[in-house]
Amino acid sequence: MAIFAACLCMKNEHRKFKRNYIFTFILLLLTVAIMHHGRAKNQSPFPFDNYLTACSDTIIPVIQTVSIRKRDTNLVKIPEDSLSRDLVKQVKIDTFHVRMSKDSIDAPVEYEAKDSMILDVTGSKLYLFGQTNVNYKDVNLKAPEIVFDQKTNLVKAKLKYDTAGNIIGPAFLKQGDINTMSDSLEFNFKTQKGLTHSSYFQQNELYNQAQVVKKIDQETIYAFKGRFTTCNLDTPHFAFRARKIKYISNKVAVTGPVGVEFENVPVLPIILPFGMFPLQQGRHSGFLPPQFTVTDGFGLGLEGLGYYKVINDNFDVTTRADIYSYGSWRLNFTPTYRVRYRYNGSLNFSYQNTHQGFKGDADYAKNKSFYLTWSHRMDSKARPGVNFSASVNAGSSSYTKYLPTNAIIDQSNGAGGFYSQPQSFANHMSSSISFQKSWIGRPYNLSVNLNHSQNNNTSEVTLNLPDINFNVNTLYPFQPREMTGSGKWYYKLGIGYTGSARGRTSFIDTSFTFKQMIDTFQWGAQHNIPISLALPQFGAIQISPGFSYQERWYSQKLFRTWNDQTRKVDSTITKGFYTARDISMSVSFSTAMFGTLNMKNKNAKVQAIRHVMRPQMSVGYKPDLSKLYYANIQTDTMGRRRMLSLYDGGVYGPFGYGESGSIGFGIDNFLEMKVREKADTTREQEGDGLKKVKLIDGFGITSSYNLLADSFQLSTFNLYARSTLFDKINITASANVDPYLIDSMGFRINKYAWQGENFSLGRFTNGSLSVSTSFKSKERDKDKKAADDQFAYDNYDNLTADEMEQQMDYIRRNPSEFVDFNIPWSINLSYSLSFSKILRRDYSGFDTRFTSSAQFNGDFSLTEKWKIGANGYFDFQTLKIPSFSMFISREMHCWQMSINVTPFGLWRSFNISIYPKSGMLRDLKINRTRTFRNN
């Protein structure tokens, strides 16, 4: 019967195949093979008109993928089905004369089904059941049930339930970067149009759900009764709901009236007439929304309102404005530029007109000021040997004095971010523009710099322009080009050159005039020619002789005389061209000594202590070539006289006074021990379970003795020490000890400290101490830590040094926005102490400047979602806390809340912010800020 049915079917279709009897005979053989054998499996394109026909009422359940090529020999595999367990041999079918239908699709369709396949030849339909998978070009379709209509090129898929009523699986469609899961869908392979019901799909950071989705082309999608959010939960914490939505892939999503809902509860008053949500990756132009704020001195304000414009791939501009109710306003203009593999940079110009308070009030203040920053970096591979960089921070000294909280645009990103209170504490600004060139293959180096320094408290501005340096690396004139072995001793005789020239001027920015700048301009230059010789080592001692010639050029001389009438020193400056020279020669000796104390008890925790000493000594001579440039001047009413140089206040300063024949000496110490402990991968492991632990990284003392001086032959002792205790506590200390006594006015007398009535080794003239440490608990989730590290690498690795510094500065000023909930607690402590004795300007004595402060910051997790932290510092000199702030952060999955409080200090403020984590919605920020300034 099966053979008869096949023949009858072929008779009904003979017109379609134009009585191709050869092809009919082959179909007959294939039908017989199917009846005697079980199943086969093929993979192929699927044009039905070119395919062997069977009666519409004949059902052949198979799991197969058919492969029939136009005008080619085809291999059909028919696998085992549920009715037969026999195997079918592979049958080759020659379709050389089969015509292609005009409505055939233009690419292969690969499909498979794990359950069964039903082929309806009369209706030109294919039914797939089970875990199906269909691929066509960039389209991938998966569903429990799929129907393909070859006449219309339309494929239909839908979800399916099992006997218990559970969903087996949804209909899944992927095309390009769009993934869609639906209850049912229809898709046309030829027109690329589709229609889905109860669909869920993702567009970049947006997770979308809609009752009906209509796909017009590869980029355009319409949605009816849709909901979209950046929360990836099935029941999102928040969402936007609109009746009509249009998506343009990787560009924008546009809606009609759109509302907001939280936990599926709509917020009825918040309904916008329309919505536009950018989906475009990378840079694109658009408006920048403002941020509402309230400050005590400026009133209500809108900050950050502006527009971001992309000019081209290499250039963009950000313009922002801040407006306050008391009349203050600020404009920020920020262009950025970049040429890949060559250079990149950004510029920011800010102009502000401030009105603090109201006219007529006692504390009313009005000010106009500006601020300019410029950052430029050149890629090192653009021009090997040449580099140009710039870091400019300049402006009016009064700019930061009238800067409210969250006022000036942060340059860490081109589209926004804000400075905060610490900016107002800045009392110093500096800039540097540098050009450097190295001649490859030659020992020459050139650098040209423009430097700027500005004190905001005194309004004094100092410019160094230009600052030119030219160096010649050490040359060995007696060394042959090709040398074997150590060579002769004089082969190591080297000579070099270092030259520099600098111009300098200073002025007060509030009373700036070009005449003042020209009158205070002075220049100078210096030349240094060192000659060195590296002699072979004599046993354990290394000997290194050296000779140096220096010459300096000056543009002015400073003459000082004592005025009996005014009872002070008068000064007179004479312009001109002046020179001074100096010669020095020396021989240095250095060695190293080692000592190890081994413990007898092999089971002791401390197995050995190792001490390394590096003593050094030098003998030097310097003739007195500068005595003509010094004068013995009375400096106070007591008749004290000092040797003062005519070149004091010059660009490079004077050479030292007097002839010198000095002996320098010093010693450096290093101490470590070997301990027995459990394996620790964080330290250097030794054999037999031993590891090295550093006790003192360095401790030493240096000084010198001048044999030719008539007084004060012994120079000050320089002490230093540094250590890292337990790999946790960093300690650095240094001090200078003067071995001579002083009089009641603080001036030195030629008498050693230990020769006085009270024995002493000397007095400390200046010193510093810094101690820092940090502690934190272990990460809860190491995989999350690795993911965060990868995110930081992807986002910050390509930043310039200036951009990285600005980003880190923003993080330091806004710690609540960068809370690491993966670490339960962390604490950082540091202490700094410094003091120095400075001669008064009228030479009447010395003043001691003393500073001591402690810095602290830390945080700990109250729960897995709540974290609290604080940072600030304490001034031991005033016994006050000049700066202190604390924060509370709440991690809310797709949102984050932060509360920042500064209860006292120059600025007092309160801020609460709730914002989504998604970068696309970063401007959707609920913020409340109040700021008060203590004048």
Side-chain angles (χ1 to χ4, degrees), residues 816 866 886-889 897-901 910-913:
S816 60
W866 284 96
M886 58 184 301
F887 69 88
I888 300 176
S889 293
M897 181 188 71
S898 64
I899 302 175
N900 295 273
V901 180
F910 170 82
N911 169 266
I912 180 171
S913 297

Side-chain angles (χ1 to χ4, degrees), residues 613-631:
M613 292 188 299
R614 297 184 177 89
Q616 56 184 352
M617 187 184 70
S618 63
V619 178
Y621 173 74
K622 183 183 79 67
D624 187 9
L625 301 181
S626 58
K627 60 183 178 180
L628 298 177
Y629 319 130
Y630 279 81

Side-chain angles (χ1 to χ4, degrees), residues 910-929:
F910 170 82
N911 169 266
I912 180 171
S913 297
I914 302 176
Y915 48 90
K917 294 181 179 179
S918 170
M920 186 182 69
L921 300 177
R922 61 184 174 184
D923 293 322
L924 187 65
K925 189 175 187 179
I926 303 174
N927 181 75
R928 173 64 172 170
T929 303

Side-chain angles (χ1 to χ4, degrees), residues 170-181:
F172 177 84
L173 176 67
K174 179 180 180 181
Q175 184 174 23
D177 58 349
I178 302 178
N179 300 323
T180 305
M181 287 191 297

Side-chain angles (χ1 to χ4, degrees), residues 114-145:
K114 287 193 175 180
D115 187 353
S116 59
M117 180 193 79
I118 297 178
L119 178 64
D120 182 357
V121 179
T122 304
S124 297
K125 292 183 179 181
L126 175 68
Y127 299 85
L128 301 177
F129 299 96
Q131 296 183 15
T132 63
N133 187 9
V134 178
N135 292 293
Y136 170 74
K137 291 185 177 180
D138 63 339
V139 178
N140 176 251
L141 177 61
K142 297 179 181 179
E145 182 177 332

Side-chain angles (χ1 to χ4, degrees), residues 177-181 199-210 213 223 226-241 245 247 253 261 277-279 893-894 917-918 920-921:
D177 58 349
I178 302 178
N179 300 323
T180 305
M181 287 191 297
S199 301
Y200 172 88
F201 62 97
Q202 181 178 353
Q203 275 271 337
N204 296 331
E205 293 185 79
L206 278 183
Y207 298 92
N208 309 271
Q209 285 181 313
V213 175
R227 182 188 70 183
F228 53 93
T229 178
T230 58
C231 181
N232 61 355
L233 297 180
D234 293 337
T235 303
H237 292 109
F238 78 102
F240 300 92
R241 190 177 290 275
I245 310 173
Y247 299 91
E261 62 180 26
F277 300 85
L279 302 176
H893 186 253
C894 51
K917 294 181 179 179
S918 170
M920 186 182 69
L921 300 177

